Amino acid sequence: MEFKEVKRLLRLCVYEDELYCCGYNAIAGVDEVGRGSLAGPIVAATVILDRKKWLIEKLDDSKKITVKTRNSLFRKS
């Protein structure tokens, strides 16, 4: 994995690191998709990654990655 990608992933977990330092062991990441509760359906999901295996290349907000990348990441889980 490239150094630039590792730096990006480390920046993504600033808040989680703070919570781990406070003693929390399971921290959930949440994402949603939809047009809003007044305009249509919403789908929300959450995931808790293993702290020792969280450096997953290309992991990002689902709206920022391609379908191909999303499917590839799904298979890795």
Side-chain angles (χ1 to χ4, degrees):
M1 186 180 313
E2 292 184 26
F3 181 70
K4 183 178 178 181
E5 177 68 356
V6 173
K7 281 180 60 175
R8 185 189 70 80
L9 291 169
L10 289 173
R11 281 193 309 271
L12 286 177
C13 66
V14 171
Y15 301 109
E16 290 84 352
D17 285 343
E18 190 174 319
L19 292 170
Y20 281 118
C21 289
C22 290
Y24 292 92
N25 293 317
I27 301 166
V30 179
D31 196 11
E32 53 71 32
V33 64
R35 297 193 178 270
S37 59
L38 298 176
I42 291 180
V43 175
T46 187
V47 66
I48 298 174
L49 299 175
D50 183 334
R51 180 69 176 146
K52 297 173 185 157
K53 300 177 185 176
W54 65 271
L55 277 175
I56 301 171
E57 192 170 9
K58 298 182 182 178
L59 185 66
D60 207 341
D61 184 309
S62 63
K63 295 168 202 75
K64 295 180 181 179
I65 59 177
T66 65
V67 172
K68 183 178 177 180
T69 300
R70 191 177 311 118
N71 289 336
S72 173
L73 290 170
F74 175 76
R75 284 190 292 278
K76 290 180 182 180
S77 64

